[in-house]
Amino acid sequence: EMDKWLKATLYLAQFKMDGSSLALYCDHGDLIQAVSRGDGETGDDVTANVLKMKGLVKNLKDTKYSGTIRGEVIMSRFNKEKYFPEKANCRNAGNGVFKRKDGSDCDKLNIVVYDAQALDGSNYFGTQEKMQKWLEEQGFQVAPWVMINKPTGKDCIDYINKVYADFANLEYDIDGIVWKQNEIDMEDFRTNYRPKTNIALKNKQEKTKSILKDIEWSCSNGTYTPVGIIEPTQILGATINRASLCNVSQMEELQIEIGDEVGVIRTGMIIPKIIFNYTKNV
């Protein structure tokens, strides 16, 4: 599938950071507003919180630039273990802090960027490589990237396997590798919600079988989430005895009942999740 998708000559491969989406709006090099993803269509003004985060650049060296700079608000593994050891993972810990109305602990979050688009819709950078170097020159922390000439599908798989072989030593959690055609196609970006010249490749998920023994309900911020209690099983070197069932709709779709043999993965190599019911073959 990757062989069929790879049509250009030069590609940029970049870590897909596992955090909360953020857009920084700049006017002639100066930050004027920071906006979160919100409901996916309308974002929330989070400028006050973002001003406390590490990695923010309020005044660009390029004073001609007006437009957006996009990235992720993330929490390092070190900060998660030091300040929020009770949280399941870095993303959950980071999201909780990011949404605090009083901005407390936002100094423990980092901004990592990966994209910029000029306000006038022009092809300001020309190539992804120039864009990433420009972001670095402005002083931002940029999601790690490499340039690869004439990659094959096997090259893509080999690269993601190499990255994930060292997953435990990464400073931040990631959720795959984004492959970007080096030549920026503005028409593609303007007309497609998900640009056809970019694609996210995620690590193959190891799946194991277990027996569902019980279901408990976890409550967070008024939302109840079903959690499956399973017979202990090994995934990616960890012993798992609890796994998320996501929501009631997921339970109904899988036709879940106590005693069923279920398939379990660790999403993002972290969160255990029940995704298949072998007893009902769904």
Side-chain angles (χ1 to χ4, degrees):
E1 290 177 353
M2 286 298 293
D3 278 333
K4 292 179 181 178
W5 182 81
L6 293 162
K7 297 178 181 179
T9 301
L10 189 62
Y11 284 87
L12 180 143
Q14 189 165 42
F15 284 14
K16 186 176 184 296
M17 309 306 294
D18 193 14
S20 300
S21 296
L22 178 71
L24 303 173
Y25 289 84
C26 299
D27 181 31
H28 291 89
D30 295 330
L31 174 70
I32 56 175
Q33 189 181 36
V35 179
S36 73
R37 180 178 175 82
D39 60 8
E41 294 184 3
T42 303
D44 299 318
D45 188 327
V46 290
T47 309
N49 282 8
V50 167
L51 287 171
K52 301 177 181 180
M53 298 177 188
K54 293 180 173 60
L56 177 66
V57 178
K58 294 186 288 185
N59 306 108
L60 306 182
K61 295 177 182 178
D62 183 352
T63 58
K64 297 180 181 179
Y65 182 76
S66 293
T68 60
I69 294 172
R70 297 188 177 275
E72 299 274 317
V73 172
I74 56 179
M75 179 174 288
S76 69
R77 292 175 175 177
F78 176 83
N79 280 353
K80 186 266 180 188
E81 292 303 322
K82 183 176 180 179
Y83 300 107
F84 307 96
E86 76 284 358
K87 294 294 183 179
N89 54 67
C90 295
R91 185 175 185 176
N92 286 357
N95 285 348
V97 172
F98 187 26
K99 295 176 181 178
R100 290 180 179 176
K101 295 188 180 299
D102 63 358
S104 60
D105 286 324
C106 279
D107 61 318
K108 299 176 178 64
L109 298 175
N110 286 67
I111 296 170
V112 178
V113 302
Y114 57 83
D115 183 70
Q117 292 186 28
L119 185 64
D120 62 7
S122 65
N123 196 340
Y124 195 84
F125 305 101
T127 67
Q128 288 287 345
E129 184 177 17
K130 289 180 180 178
M131 179 197 294
Q132 304 305 321
K133 290 181 177 178
W134 179 87
L135 288 168
E136 291 172 344
E137 289 167 359
Q138 305 315 305
F140 286 103
Q141 180 176 357
V142 179
W145 57 278
V146 296
M147 300 302 302
I148 299 181
N149 188 46
K150 297 181 180 179
T152 65
K154 183 178 183 303
D155 293 331
C156 298
I157 302 301
D158 287 346
Y159 180 69
I160 194 171
N161 285 340
K162 177 182 177 181
V163 170
Y164 273 83
D166 196 43
F167 185 82
N169 295 317
L170 297 179
E171 183 179 2
Y172 304 105
D173 287 343
I174 65 172
D175 188 30
I177 301 294
V178 180
W179 290 84
K180 305 178 181 181
Q181 178 181 300
N182 190 42
E183 294 291 334
I184 296 175
D185 184 338
M186 293 307 300
E187 182 67 19
D188 180 32
F189 279 82
R190 280 193 291 265
T191 58
N192 293 297
Y193 173 67
R194 293 182 177 176
K196 295 180 180 179
T197 50
N198 289 5
I199 192 170
L201 187 64
K202 299 195 176 187
N203 192 51
K204 183 178 180 181
Q205 296 172 322
E206 181 178 333
K207 182 168 63 175
T208 189
K209 295 181 180 180
S210 184
I211 302 298
L212 182 66
K213 299 169 61 179
D214 199 0
I215 296 174
E216 295 181 355
W217 294 86
S218 172
C219 181
S220 177
N221 298 322
T223 300
Y224 285 87
T225 303
V227 178
I229 309 303
I230 60 176
E231 290 185 355
T233 185
Q234 287 279 325
I235 309 180
L236 298 173
T239 301
I240 305 299
N241 53 25
R242 297 168 61 88
S244 173
L245 279 161
C246 295
N247 51 50
V248 173
S249 295
Q250 173 82 346
M251 293 173 63
E252 292 175 343
E253 182 178 340
L254 295 179
Q255 302 173 33
I256 286 292
E257 292 185 287
I258 305 301
D260 285 349
E261 185 178 38
V262 295
V264 184
I265 64 171
R266 291 179 69 188
T267 57
M269 301 183 73
I270 299 171
I271 305 171
K273 179 179 177 181
I274 294 173
I275 63 163
F276 197 81
N277 187 339
Y278 289 99
T279 302
K280 308 294 195 319
N281 196 32
V282 290

